Each structure stands twice: as structure tokens, then as C-alpha cells.
Amino acid sequence: MAPAVFLLLVWMLVPLCMTLWFSLRDYRPLRGGDLGFVGLENFVRFVSSSSFWPAVFTTMLIVGGVLLVSIIFGVLLAMLLDQPMWGQGVVRILVIAPFFVMPTVSALVWKNMFMDPTNGVFAHIWRAFGADPVVWLTDVPILSLIMIVSWQWLPFATLILLTAFQSLDSEQLEAAEMDGAGPLARFFFIALPHLSRAITIVILIQTIFLLAVFAEIFVTTGGAFGTRTLTYLIYQRVLESQNVGLGSAGGVYAIILANIVALFLMRIVGKNLDR
Amino acid sequence: MGRITLDKVRKAFGEVEVIPPLDLTIEDGEFVVFVGPSGCGKSTLLRLIAGLEDVSGGEIRIDGQDATMVPPAKRGLAMVFQSYALYPHMSVRKNIAFPLRMAGMDAAEQERRVKSAADVLNLTDYLDRRPGQLSGGQRQRVAIGRAIVREPAAFLFDEPLSNLDAALRVGMRLEISELHKRLNTTMIYVTHDQVEAMTMADKIVVLRAGHIEQVGSPLELYRTPRNLFVAGFIGSPKMNLIGGAVASAHDAATIGIRPEHIRVSDEAGDWTGTVGVSEHLGSDTFFHVNCEGIPDPLTVRVGGEVDLHYGDRIHLSPDPEHLHRFDAEGLRLP
Amino acid sequence: MARAVTTQRKALNTALAWLVGLVIFFPILWTILTSFKTEAEAIANPPIILFFDWTLENYGVVQERSNYVRFLWNSVIIAGGSTLLGILIAIPAAWSMAFVPSRRTKDILLWMLSTKMLPAVGVLYPIYLLCIQLGVLDNRIALVVILMLINLPIIVWMLYTYFKEIPGEILEAARMDGAGLKEELLYVLTPMAVPGIASTILLNFILAWNEAFWTLNLTSVDAAPLTAFIASYSSPEGLFFAKLSAASTMAIAPILILGWFSQKQLVRGLTFGAVK
């Protein structure tokens, strides 16, 4: 056990301490390097910069939007896939496939082959109905990103919810039916509460991954058109404008935010360990 | 040979002493059943004998040899686990042969022994299947097969029938008894089911909280339970235990009387009561009778066809020869 | 007891499910189809779905122009190397946690998971800087190590849950049957653990293959895997749909196939055993 623990400890602590250290200094490698200790100034400046609140807002929209889409459609899809049908295995594979597509590929395929205003599939569809094609990534950039990222994460939500559905005791449903519950009541009073744990897990895990969404923005808009999330903002500060001190302060914020979510996730996982 | 002696054997997990120092001798060829409620230490005791747990003190001797520190495989014992613990990735044949293979036996001899074990246990047709493809009863037999091929000094069974359904359980019970008669090898069998204990054992060891409450043949325990615990534990349905004034009348803190030792009369008797629920088993009928001055209903066994109905008033008298009397400590009075 | 369903109902379910499945799968299908078209057919209006002249030309062009094989090779080395290295480090760890648990085992497991939650962007610069200082920016070995560390918690965790499922009674039975530590490992534990190890390898290979933060930020030319290769198409080349599709298909095909084998493990691996 020791080597694994040691490696992870180093992997976690060294960069973490460096980030903390940089966040307290005015450090710009391209403009004079390390200009000394500035206390908490970076933390204040990161939050008070004009791009901070829009970035927070964008992050919330994307994370919230993708969660909403993947949970609602995930539940519906899981219910559908749980029904008896022919070729269930194949349908399952079709639905899960997007999860295995690397983020850069899915971003690029969506951006060019679907959302391109002249030759994209959507443009063809819009024109077929006599409408003007939408210029997706400039006109509704956040919606576009939500679509792309949802497509990637819907399979994950569906798969987990389907697993949860399959563990629902059918006798429970039959008991409810005998007790006079209609299909809707059965869904809301039996199935949904049964799914609540799985839904919580999906929300927590996806939130952690969605907060870190990077490649999709990098490939599609490069952070333009108001699609700069917190993660992307920090990336730009650190690597593009090389203001390491400021970016590191942002990094510390991101770590704190992720830890808050992780705390809830850990509690669920930890409880599960005891059983 | 398989004479097993426990000499002041004790077991503690950390601070908790689950088995206080305990002495017990198991004679060669005996079928001994450890019985008691869950958590009484019976499985731990078995595992101490097997060598799967280390004793915290005392000595275990097998055929006179000190085996306290001998590793499990070297003790010459074979064990059948509650979950059967079959190796899922091996065929039945390989499962049964595994201990022989570990002992470095040559292939021909392995094959011969597996064949004969399979014959005894009706497994010949299943030798090439995996455990996952077998029914519960068949898996049980494979586990037993794996034990017999080693020709051990003693067999250890850890609640082997608890994962089987009721009908299979009765069948396997007979098979194991039959096996014991045929092999004439020492068997130690752990169960919480007193019916299994009564039907199979030569000698029953009743355990509670790590203590031996009583050791004896099934009938000894049935006829002369040493204390209230054994009295209540052995026998089905349970012995009626009555305290209070009724017991004082017999100079005891508690008296006990088995359902079959109560006489029923519609004219006169020691106790008067009304008939409650009755259970007809065909050969026997058990009545639950609510008696005046006795808080709990008494269970009374009568013949198969008796004309008594719910609400009837009847009189009951205990058979004085079979009345058990216990003192305030719960110990049997002479 | 599952209740019998009328054929009609089943047909309806089937139709609906297939429809939804195909819609979700469509972007992938469309990419694969487009990769066999000529550039003109790829942007034809209205789009041609099946009846075009199937050609392999795009695959040839992509390989020729960008040396696809080198990127593929980098992906294989980075994903495979990090997975194998991770497995080697994780097996003893998971093993001891599952079979000789101590009071702190649970805390250690949870702490390991928590390192997985660390947002990469928070430590981007330190890692970047360390890579420069050590002269391993754009280096495959550095990426192997980094991706191994990123996925190590998941590997340990998955192996732990698999090992945990090997019942203790089996090990005791083996001891009673005379198996020593060596035989126990060789004949009982390893055969029972192999399926779990295999699925762990599979899932982590997929995760490492698709990782697109560190691979994009720490590589430029020499060590760039397929994620970075595809990202380079976001500039004008991306408008050549057929070639983009060919490149994309080649990047995702191996993993789609592996992915289909690992569906079940996916749930378990990504929820850290909280959903099975």
C-alpha cells in the first residue's frame, strides 16, 4: 500500500503547495518573473476582475444545464431501456457510445459537421423547414456547449440510472399497484425515491467533471463569445497571459469549490464502504 | 483416529473474551454437535479447532498430539463451510481434487479418490461442471466431497445446511448422518438449529456466550436439562416454563413441563384454562391453552384427533414424573 | 416475476428505443459515414446519407499529411503505459487493503479518491513548470507518469472492490486444503482476481486514451497523442469534413470497440463502487 500512498501524496502535495505559494506572489514569467510577495492581493484581484463574475455565471449555466439535461433525459432513457424490447443490447451500446468518444473529437464533430452554419447537419435541417440556419457557436454559444457536453455525459447518467432501475424490486412496484397507485404515482412515489441515491451520485460526479470541462471549449470557441468558464479563465491567466500569481489564486478558488462538492460525494461513498 | 481434546482453551478478540477457558473432549468416531443461539461462540470454537483462528490460551490436542500451533492443513481435519467456499473457477473434479493436489498426491490416485467420492455423493455426472452451474444441494455435496477425499481424522461442519431450503435440508441431514455411520469418523457440526442437533448428534454441546451450558446425548439433554437455558433451548415446541405462585407450590423458582407431559381433562386438574389456537399436524395436535394464574399460554401436545375447540374450558395436570424444577439461579433442582 | 408484456407493447418499446438510440448515436454514425465520402459529397446539400461512392482516400490523405500513425503510437504508449504502471503500483495496495484491512484503510481509500477530485487547472502551472525544469515538457514518459497518477485512485479503488468480493471463506478453505501462501496466490486468488484486473485495465485504458487536459497542455509535437492531433483540426482543416471525419473515426474507433466490452465496469469504476 505504501508506494501508492506515497506517490499520491507527493502528486497532491507538491503542486498544491506550489500553487499556494504562487498565489501569494506577483509572478509573471514573461514580464520580469517573480516580483515578490503580495499577500492576498491576487485573491482579491481575481475576484474583482471584470471577467470573474461572467465566468462564474457561465460555469453555473453550463454545469447546471448539462446536469438538468442529463438527469431528466437520463431518467427517461433509463426507463425506456428497462422495458422489454428486441435488441436491447444493441440499443444500449448505441446510447452509451458517445461516452467513449474523446472530448476533442466530439467537440470538433459537433462544431463543424453539425453546427456549421453553411454545411452543418443542423443548417440542412433548418433550411429544409425554410428557416434561416442558426450560427450556433456565436449566437447561442452556451446552449451549443451545453448540447455538446450533454451529449457526452447523457450516456453516463443513463447507464448509472439504468443500473439503479434494474435493482428496483419489481414486487415493490406490484405492491404499489395493488395499493392502487397508477403509473405516475408509482413513478413518483416508488421509482424516483429508489433512484434518488443514484441521481445524487450522478450529480456529484458529473459536477466534479463538468467544473473541469476544458477541451470542448478549447476546441470550439476558445473561450470567446462568453463561454469562458472558471476553469478556462484560470487556464488563460496561467498559460496564455502568463500571470501565474493571479491564475494560481484562481486555482485555489477552484480547488476549494471542487472540494466542497467532493465532500458530499465522499460521504456517500464512505457510507457505502461500511456496508 | 480422531480424538480431540480442548484443554482450558480460551479466545479473546482484543479486550473481548468470546470464549472463556473451556474444557471438552471429543471421542474418536463421535458425532458432536455444537448448538446455541447466534453469537454464542460455537463457530469460533470450531474455527479454533480447525486452526483458522489462533487460540489465546490453552491447548488443543488431536489424538494426543499437541496441535495448538499446527497450521490448519497439517491438523488432518477437513471443513465444510457455510457458504461451501467452492473455488468458482475450477470444475467440480478440480475442486474435489484440490486438497489432494496440494498434498502432492499422484494423478492416478487423485482420480481414483475423486471418483469414489463422487460415487458416494452422486456427483459422477457433474464432475466437469463449474460450481456456478450446480444447485445448492449439489454444491453442498461437492463441499463434502472435497472434505472426504482427504480421509481426515475429523470433519468440521460450519452450519452447512443453513443455505438450503427446508426439504433439501432434511435430505442432507440424513445423508450426513448416513455418511457418518459409513465412515465412522469424528464429526463436529455447528448449528443453531436444535432439530439438527437432536436428530444427528451422538453428543450435543450447548453453548451460550462462550460457556458450555451442558454436554450430553440428545436424550439426556431432553430429559434432564441442567438449567433453564438448556431446558428452553432443546425441544420443539419449547418446554413450558412457569414461575410465580404455581412454581412455589412445587418448591421451585421456576418449573418446566414439556407439552407432551401435560394431561388434559374436561373434569378436573391442577390448572384450569381455555383453549386458544390449535395446530394440527396430523399425528399430533398442539393446543395453546390460557390458564388462570399463568401469564403465558401453555403448549399442550395431544393425539392427532381430539375434539377440542377454540374457547373450550379444560383442566390440565402436569405429569409429576416429568416435572422439571429450577431454583432462582436457573439451575436444576434434584 | 417479470410480467409478460404484449407483443404490441414490446414492438412500441423497441421502435421508440431504437429511434432514440439512433438519434444519440447519429453524430458518430455520421462521422463514420462522412469519412468514406469525397469532400464534395461531404458538404452536399441536401446531405447524402448512404448512396455515395465509398472511398478510402481520406484515410490515406490524413496519414500522409499528418503522420497519423505517430499520434496513434503516442496514444497507445501513453494510455497503455500509464495503465500498466498504475496497475503494478495499485495491485499490492488494493490487495493489502482488501485482505489485511487496518483501521485506517477506509480513510486512506477515501483520501485517495479525494485526490482524484483535485481540479487539474488548479495545479496546471506547477506541473507545467516542473515539466520545464525537468526538461520533460512534450515527453511521453512524463505523460505516462502524470496520467498514471491521475487514474491511480480509480485503479486502486476498482481493484479494491473486486478483491473485496473474493470471499474470505474461500481463502480459509484453501488453507484447510493445504495450500500455502504461494499455492493460495497461484491457484485460488489470481484466477479469481484476473477478471477484475482485466476490467480495471480496460476502463483505465479508455480514460487515459480520452484524457484531454494534460495531453493538450503538456504536449506540442513529439509526445502529442490523438487528442491533440484532433484538436489541431479545429483550425481551417476542420472544414474539410471528410478528412476531419476520417481522422476522428481513426481516433475513436479503437476505444469504441474496447468501450463496448467495458460497459458494466464503467458504472462501477466511475461511481467508485457506489452503484453496482
Side-chain angles (χ1 to χ4, degrees):
Chain A
M1 172 160 68
V5 171
F6 175 74
L7 277 172
L8 279 174
L9 205 62
V10 171
W11 165 247
M12 192 181 79
L13 282 183
V14 170
L16 202 62
C17 293
M18 285 172 75
T19 296
L20 274 172
W21 170 254
F22 289 136
S23 70
L24 299 173
R25 306 188 71 86
D26 187 6
Y27 182 40
R28 305 173 204 215
L30 297 184
R31 273 178 249 155
D34 195 342
L35 304 176
F37 185 74
V38 291
L40 295 177
E41 197 187 311
N42 286 323
F43 287 92
V44 177
R45 274 187 38 219
F46 188 84
V47 177
S48 56
S49 94
S50 61
S51 31
F52 175 72
W53 286 109
V56 170
F57 192 59
T58 306
T59 310
M60 279 166 51
L61 273 183
I62 291 181
V63 172
V66 175
L67 282 179
L68 211 63
V69 172
S70 55
I71 300 265
I72 292 178
F73 285 94
V75 170
L76 294 176
L77 212 54
M79 258 178 10
L80 180 61
L81 289 182
D82 198 29
Q83 305 293 317
M85 66 176 76
W86 289 290
Q88 196 164 26
V90 184
V91 178
R92 232 174 105 117
I93 286 168
L94 293 181
V95 169
I96 294 165
F99 190 77
F100 298 115
V101 175
M102 61 174 63
T104 44
V105 167
S106 65
L108 213 57
V109 164
W110 278 92
K111 176 192 174 189
N112 290 333
M113 295 173 52
F114 283 82
M115 293 176 170
D116 186 86
T118 19
N119 294 319
V121 171
F122 289 153
H124 290 307
I125 296 174
W126 256 245
R127 273 197 291 267
F129 287 98
D132 276 336
V134 182
V135 191
W136 291 89
L137 284 163
T138 17
D139 290 353
V140 281
I142 292 183
L143 181 69
S144 308
L145 271 174
I146 291 178
M147 280 170 60
I148 298 174
V149 180
S150 297
W151 181 73
Q152 292 179 291
W153 283 96
L154 178 61
F156 174 78
T158 307
L159 202 55
I160 288 178
L161 294 171
L162 180 60
T163 313
F165 252 117
Q166 283 165 345
S167 70
L168 175 57
D169 181 8
S170 68
E171 283 193 354
Q172 249 186 55
L173 287 174
E174 288 174 351
E177 198 177 340
M178 295 299 288
D179 289 342
L184 268 183
R186 287 206 296 274
F187 175 76
F188 282 105
F189 293 113
I190 312 289
L192 214 50
H194 176 79
L195 288 185
S196 64
R197 212 174 82 98
I199 291 178
T200 319
I201 290 167
V202 170
I203 290 178
L204 292 170
I205 292 177
Q206 283 202 20
T207 305
I208 285 172
F209 282 99
L210 293 176
L211 282 173
V213 159
F214 175 78
E216 292 82 351
I217 303 175
F218 180 82
V219 170
T220 53
T221 62
F225 317 118
T227 57
R228 192 154 52 190
T229 59
L230 215 47
T231 297
Y232 210 81
L233 179 67
I234 299 166
Y235 157 77
Q236 284 186 330
R237 290 276 185 271
V238 170
L239 282 196
E240 283 184 1
S241 54
Q242 295 263 324
N243 190 337
V244 176
L246 195 59
S248 296
V252 175
Y253 282 124
I255 291 169
I256 293 171
L257 187 65
N259 269 302
I260 294 172
V261 182
L263 209 66
F264 287 102
L265 182 58
M266 293 308 190
R267 280 176 61 180
I268 295 188
V269 173
K271 254 184 221 154
N272 213 51
L273 259 188
D274 293 331
R275 281 190 312 175
Chain B
M1 287 295 283
R3 182 174 196 268
I4 298 171
T5 317
L6 307 187
D7 189 3
K8 298 203 176 47
V9 165
R10 59 178 279 276
K11 176 67 183 173
F13 290 110
E15 298 284 292
V16 192
E17 189 167 63
V18 288
I19 295 181
L22 168 155
D23 297 315
L24 182 69
T25 302
I26 293 158
E27 298 297 340
D28 182 35
E30 230 175 5
F31 196 123
V32 177
V33 174
F34 294 171
V35 69
S38 54
C40 69
K42 55 191 189 295
S43 281
T44 310
L45 193 56
L46 190 74
R47 294 165 59 85
L48 289 173
I49 296 172
L52 293 171
E53 304 278 358
D54 295 326
V55 295
S56 309
E59 200 178 275
I60 297 174
R61 283 190 298 275
I62 300 174
D63 289 331
Q65 304 277 324
D66 182 2
T68 319
M69 290 301 157
V70 177
K74 300 264 152 52
R75 295 189 184 193
L77 307 175
M79 182 149 167
V80 175
F81 291 84
Q82 183 172 6
S83 68
Y84 319 140
L86 301 179
Y87 310 117
H89 55 287
M90 296 182 197
S91 64
V92 168
R93 183 192 308 277
K94 290 217 166 121
N95 259 286
I96 297 178
F98 190 72
L100 306 179
R101 188 168 151 208
M102 288 299 107
M105 190 175 283
D106 70 82
E109 175 67 8
Q110 282 188 29
E111 184 58 26
R112 198 190 60 75
R113 288 216 199 174
V114 170
K115 274 237 169 66
S116 85
D119 246 14
V120 172
L121 295 162
N122 288 326
L123 285 170
T124 316
D125 295 341
Y126 305 103
L127 279 176
D128 292 311
R129 299 218 189 151
R130 294 275 178 97
Q133 299 164 300
L134 301 179
S135 70
Q138 289 165 340
R139 283 183 214 182
Q140 175 71 77
R141 276 202 267 278
V142 177
I144 295 174
R146 199 170 60 184
I148 10 186
V149 285
R150 298 176 53 190
E151 299 175 356
F155 290 94
L156 311 178
F157 292 91
D158 188 6
E159 305 226 15
L161 304 185
S162 59
N163 286 339
L164 297 178
D165 64 49
L168 262 176
R169 212 164 356 193
V170 175
M172 281 311 293
R173 213 161 74 195
L174 286 173
E175 281 189 41
I176 294 175
S177 295
E178 172 76 35
L179 197 67
H180 176 244
K181 293 278 177 280
R182 185 151 17 146
L183 300 175
N184 217 1
T185 311
T186 313
M187 291 191 175
I188 306 176
Y189 187 106
V190 163
T191 180
H192 61 268
D193 181 353
Q194 60 91 25
V195 177
E196 280 176 25
M198 292 294 285
T199 50
M200 302 168 84
D202 294 326
K203 183 155 97 185
I204 296 179
V205 178
V206 182
L207 288 154
R208 179 171 61 158
H211 282 281
I212 294 182
E213 295 284 327
Q214 190 169 3
V215 179
S217 73
L219 284 183
E220 266 170 51
L221 298 196
Y222 192 77
R223 289 190 187 131
T224 52
R226 221 176 62 187
N227 55 33
L228 270 178
F229 177 75
V230 178
F233 196 77
I234 299 288
S236 171
K238 283 176 134 182
M239 180 188 282
N240 297 299
L241 295 171
I242 310 160
V246 178
S248 311
H250 291 89
D251 294 325
T254 311
I255 55 165
I257 183 78
R258 296 209 182 268
E260 64 267 38
H261 298 140
I262 298 178
R263 265 176 297 128
V264 181
S265 154
D266 41 9
E267 283 146 20
D270 294 0
W271 308 320
T272 310
T274 46
V275 177
V277 178
S278 52
E279 296 168 304
H280 297 273
L281 301 181
S283 59
D284 294 315
T285 307
F286 293 101
F287 286 100
H288 298 268
V289 182
N290 299 297
C291 290
E292 289 150 20
I294 299 171
D296 297 320
L298 298 181
T299 312
V300 181
R301 193 190 87 174
V302 280
E305 283 158 47
V306 176
D307 197 27
L308 283 175
H309 299 283
Y310 187 87
D312 287 355
R313 277 192 78 71
I314 52 167
H315 303 276
L316 304 176
S317 321
D319 181 349
E321 266 178 46
H322 291 108
L323 190 74
H324 306 270
R325 301 185 309 130
F326 302 94
D327 65 14
E329 313 274 79
L331 290 178
R332 181 181 190 84
L333 291 166
Chain C
M1 261 295 287
R3 212 180 309 179
V5 177
T6 58
T7 315
Q8 208 180 355
R9 172 88 189 279
K10 198 168 166 182
L12 193 72
N13 287 337
T14 310
L16 195 59
W18 276 86
L19 182 70
V20 175
L22 283 173
V23 166
I24 290 177
F25 189 70
F26 183 71
I28 298 173
L29 183 67
W30 188 243
T31 307
I32 297 172
L33 286 177
T34 308
S35 72
F36 295 108
K37 297 175 184 173
T38 62
E39 289 298 347
E41 286 165 334
I43 55 170
N45 184 17
I48 313 166
I49 296 176
L50 276 179
F51 303 102
F52 52 84
D53 295 321
W54 293 67
T55 170
L56 284 171
E57 180 193 345
N58 301 305
Y59 288 90
V61 174
V62 168
Q63 158 60 15
E64 216 168 90
R65 242 196 241 162
S66 52
N67 202 359
Y68 165 83
V69 172
R70 202 190 63 213
F71 296 102
L72 175 73
W73 187 229
N74 281 341
S75 270
V76 170
I77 289 184
I78 293 171
S82 66
T83 303
L84 289 183
L85 189 61
I87 286 278
L88 286 183
I89 296 173
I91 284 180
W95 196 274
S96 64
M97 286 195 264
F99 293 118
V100 236
S102 73
R103 219 168 305 155
R104 280 175 318 173
T105 297
K106 189 185 149 187
D107 296 327
I108 291 177
L109 269 171
L110 287 180
W111 167 76
M112 281 190 170
L113 265 196
S114 74
T115 66
K116 176 76 194 159
M117 314 283 165
L118 200 68
V121 76
V123 293
L124 170 59
Y125 194 75
I127 301 296
Y128 182 75
L129 190 68
L130 285 172
C131 284
I132 292 177
Q133 302 269 307
L134 298 171
V136 291
L137 197 62
D138 198 18
N139 178 302
R140 287 189 295 222
I141 297 183
L143 274 175
V144 165
V145 172
I146 289 173
L147 291 195
M148 180 275 286
L149 287 166
I150 286 181
N151 286 330
L152 191 58
I154 293 192
I155 300 180
V156 171
W157 192 270
M158 277 184 79
L159 288 177
Y160 171 78
T161 59
Y162 280 115
F163 290 165
K164 201 76 189 155
E165 274 174 18
I166 299 176
E169 278 199 345
I170 293 250
L171 301 185
E172 291 182 341
R175 282 170 64 198
M176 291 295 292
D177 286 346
L181 190 63
K182 200 186 89 200
E183 288 87 4
E184 210 175 290
L185 271 171
L186 200 62
Y187 298 119
V188 182
L189 281 173
T190 311
M192 290 182 72
V194 160
I197 295 175
S199 7
T200 309
I201 290 180
L202 200 58
L203 180 62
N204 280 279
F205 186 81
I206 294 170
L207 291 178
W209 183 276
N210 286 343
E211 203 284 334
F213 183 79
W214 296 111
T215 50
L216 285 180
N217 283 315
L218 297 180
T219 65
S220 48
V221 188
D222 293 342
L226 287 169
T227 44
F229 161 64
I230 295 294
S232 72
Y233 269 77
S234 61
S235 41
E237 287 105 320
L239 294 174
F240 295 99
F241 284 9
K243 288 181 195 67
L244 166 67
S245 297
S248 299
T249 305
M250 286 195 281
I252 62 175
I255 235 56
L256 276 181
I257 294 162
L258 285 183
W260 289 336
F261 289 113
S262 74
Q263 303 176 43
K264 290 234 171 70
Q265 285 69 45
L266 187 73
V267 174
R268 189 166 167 159
L270 290 176
T271 60
F272 315 113
V275 175
K276 270 185 211 156

